[in-house]
Amino acid sequence: MRVQRRIKIQLAVFTVIGVVSMMVLAIGYVHAPALLFKAGRYTVTLQLRQAGGLYERANVTYRGTEVGRVTDVKLTNTGVQAVLLLKSGITIPSDLDAQIHSQSAIGEQYVALQPRDATSRPLRDGDVIMAAHTSVPTDINDVLNTTNAALAGIPRDNLKTLIDESYTALGGLGPELGRIVDGSTALASGAKTNLADLTNLVDNAAPILDSQVETSDAVTAWAAHLATITGQLEQHDSQFADLLRNAGPATTQVQTLLDRLNPTLPVLLANLAGVADVALVFQPNIEQLLVLIPQSVQIVSGTTMASQNTKQPYKGAFEQFAFNLNLPPPCSTGYLPASQTRSPVLTDYPDRPAGSIYCRIPQDSWNDVRGARNIPCETKPWKRAPTVAMCESNEDYVPLNSGMNWKGDPNATLSGQSVPQPNPGPGPSPDGRPPVSSPPAALAFADYNAADGTYVGSDGRVYTQANLGASGGPTTWQQMLTPPGG
């Protein structure tokens, strides 16, 4: 049989097209070069405790993108070993988890690679993914058996009602139920990991629950107060909305202010830290000052109200200026004697004499009433002492003499004089307070009439002291400067 030339040409063209199609199919779809010669591919071994339905030629994905296929699944002495043929052009971190998933309810498992550390080195040919970093889905047969056992426990007459009510209750809540299941699984896994702590929590929960029962009234009151607060917020909804709207701009302005104060605010706060330390030490004094300031303001306000609503030409406080020289005289007791007083023309600076130098007359003396001897003790407000050491000890203040006569050498080291000691008496009370004694006699003040030398005493009687002023006439400034009898 003779074949025409045209037929031969058609058969040749058909053969070429068939060969090209087979080559395209083998290279583009079957990936024959990759399967046969591993061109542009590398292999990674995946160790599994069980196959989980994984089969040969299953897909391998990385971040949801196909990166290879499973070329072999075989049993080993410890489980299952799968060989993954991956594309070389995709960088996959070696620190990852391999999870077996199903594309549908009927199976079609695939391997999903989930990186744990994206900065780890890439996978290389011959790497092994250990079984500890793998997971397989629950066997569908176990799920069906468990579901069948659960359904068998439901009466058949009520099964339809259960299905209808379940559809009504759970219809459209698939994503939410999925999150609940995932969260419950994570919670169960965490509970298993921290089983000892969970058991300890359950064992010791009784005291906590008892405290909640005992404080039920407080919880009820708290709930009532919270209801009151929410009710007020509802009533003032517009104001609260304005607050929320203005909070942003206000915060921006505060930030701008802080930025402007940035160079000086830290220095100010650092200085205030030192001031706070000092205020903490003198806290009782500050409290006493805050108590006395309102009374002082009240007294000053009262003095400015003198002669109000009267016919007096002057409205305000009355003042009286009197020229008193050397009244009271300066206190010299407790200081160095006059023979040791340095001349003011000297310019050197010798060492300070040892000991404490201050006015050491009785504490109830009318001279130098604000001297160091009457400083209130910081930790013992009822006690007055010139030094901290005397405040903190059981030692009492002892004056050098009881009058205005000079007595120097406060430490009794230069002149050899003896320092007087306190008279023995009852000891301090258990709380550290000094024994109660009779208060010193109060100082009396009276207006003195210099013309006739008379004044009214505290008992209401009139007394005469003629030597305080010139009799029969007003006192001149020369007489004021001249001592009586001079």
Side-chain angles (χ1 to χ4, degrees):
M1 173 178 149
R2 184 179 178 181
V3 181
Q4 297 181 2
R5 182 181 180 185
R6 183 174 59 83
I7 302 295
K8 292 181 180 180
I9 294 174
Q10 292 177 349
L11 291 175
V13 172
F14 179 76
T15 302
V16 171
I17 293 175
V19 171
V20 172
S21 300
M22 293 298 296
M23 292 180 63
V24 172
L25 181 64
I27 295 174
Y29 181 75
V30 182
H31 303 288
L35 294 176
L36 297 177
F37 308 106
K38 296 184 179 180
R41 300 288 192 275
Y42 65 95
T43 59
V44 174
T45 302
L46 175 63
Q47 295 182 352
L48 300 169
R49 294 185 179 88
Q50 57 183 1
L54 188 64
Y55 56 92
E56 190 177 346
R57 295 184 304 277
N59 291 334
V60 180
T61 64
Y62 173 67
R63 297 184 184 273
T65 303
E66 181 182 349
V67 295
R69 290 183 180 274
V70 178
T71 60
D72 189 17
V73 178
K74 59 184 178 180
L75 293 174
T76 63
N77 295 331
T78 58
V80 178
Q81 179 176 293
V83 179
L84 310 181
L85 186 63
L86 305 179
K87 298 178 182 179
S88 300
I90 301 176
T91 302
I92 303 175
S94 59
D95 188 3
L96 50 76
D97 292 329
Q99 303 173 357
I100 309 301
H101 293 285
S102 298
Q103 292 183 352
S104 63
I106 62 175
E108 300 183 34
Q109 277 74 10
Y110 67 96
V111 180
L113 301 180
Q114 302 292 337
R116 292 184 302 173
D117 185 3
T119 61
S120 61
R121 68 169 181 83
L123 280 175
R124 294 194 290 256
D125 186 54
D127 284 349
V128 178
I129 302 176
M130 306 303 296
H133 297 161
T134 62
S135 63
V136 296
T138 304
D139 190 1
I140 188 63
N141 296 323
D142 296 337
V143 176
L144 294 177
N145 291 334
T146 304
T147 305
N148 187 32
L151 295 176
I154 302 175
R156 296 180 180 274
D157 298 337
N158 299 330
L159 182 59
K160 184 179 182 302
T161 303
L162 174 62
I163 294 176
D164 294 341
E165 296 297 332
S166 300
Y167 174 78
T168 303
L170 304 178
L173 298 179
E176 289 78 7
L177 293 177
R179 287 195 295 268
I180 293 176
V181 172
D182 294 339
S184 301
T185 303
L187 181 61
S189 301
K192 182 179 179 181
T193 304
N194 303 278
L195 183 60
D197 297 335
L198 183 61
T199 304
N200 186 26
L201 176 62
V202 174
D203 294 339
N204 298 315
I208 300 177
L209 298 178
D210 293 340
S211 65
Q212 297 299 316
V213 174
E214 295 174 356
T215 59
S216 58
D217 296 338
V219 174
T220 303
W222 175 82
H225 296 162
L226 182 61
T228 303
I229 294 175
T230 53
Q232 293 179 356
L233 290 177
E234 182 180 5
Q235 295 177 0
H236 302 83
D237 180 70
S238 58
Q239 293 86 343
F240 187 67
D242 294 339
L243 177 62
L244 294 179
R245 283 193 297 268
N246 298 328
T251 304
T252 304
Q253 293 179 1
V254 172
Q255 183 64 37
T256 304
L257 176 61
L258 293 178
D259 293 339
R260 293 175 59 187
L261 297 178
N262 188 29
T264 58
L265 185 59
V267 179
L268 175 61
L269 295 179
N271 295 334
L272 289 179
V275 175
D277 294 338
V278 176
L280 183 62
V281 174
F282 293 95
Q283 178 183 355
N285 308 81
I286 296 177
E287 292 180 356
Q288 183 66 16
L289 181 63
L290 295 177
V291 171
L292 295 178
I293 283 179
Q295 300 179 5
S296 302
V297 173
Q298 181 181 3
I299 294 173
V300 173
S301 301
T303 58
T304 58
M305 296 298 293
S307 303
Q308 292 293 327
N309 301 323
T310 65
K311 295 183 179 181
Q312 298 292 336
Y314 175 76
K315 307 297 183 182
F318 291 103
E319 296 180 357
Q320 179 181 2
F321 295 94
F323 184 71
N324 296 324
L325 184 63
N326 206 31
L327 289 176
C331 175
S332 59
T333 299
Y335 296 91
L336 295 178
S339 60
Q340 299 181 18
T341 303
R342 290 172 51 78
S343 172
V345 300
L346 299 178
T347 58
D348 57 343
Y349 46 94
D351 294 336
R352 185 179 182 274
S356 300
I357 298 179
Y358 54 89
C359 180
R360 297 186 63 171
I361 59 178
Q363 290 179 319
D364 58 352
S365 174
W366 63 286
N367 189 16
D368 195 16
V369 294
R370 296 184 178 88
R373 69 186 190 281
N374 287 328
I375 295 178
C377 293
E378 183 66 29
T379 58
K380 300 177 181 178
W382 63 86
K383 186 177 180 180
R384 301 291 188 270
T387 62
V388 176
M390 187 177 297
C391 281
E392 300 298 331
S393 66
N394 294 328
E395 179 184 0
D396 294 327
Y397 170 77
V398 180
L400 285 179
N401 63 357
S402 59
M404 298 304 298
N405 297 325
W406 173 85
K407 182 178 288 188
D409 188 9
N411 300 299
T413 57
L414 299 179
S415 61
Q417 65 183 8
S418 61
V419 178
Q421 301 297 325
N423 296 326
S429 59
D431 59 355
R433 292 178 176 269
V436 179
S437 59
S438 59
L443 298 178
F445 297 89
D447 291 333
Y448 178 73
N449 190 349
D452 55 4
T454 60
Y455 63 90
V456 179
S458 59
D459 56 357
R461 302 176 62 183
V462 178
Y463 296 90
T464 302
Q465 188 73 21
N467 59 351
L468 297 181
S471 301
T475 303
T476 62
W477 67 270
Q478 293 89 344
Q479 293 173 339
M480 292 182 184
L481 296 177
T482 303

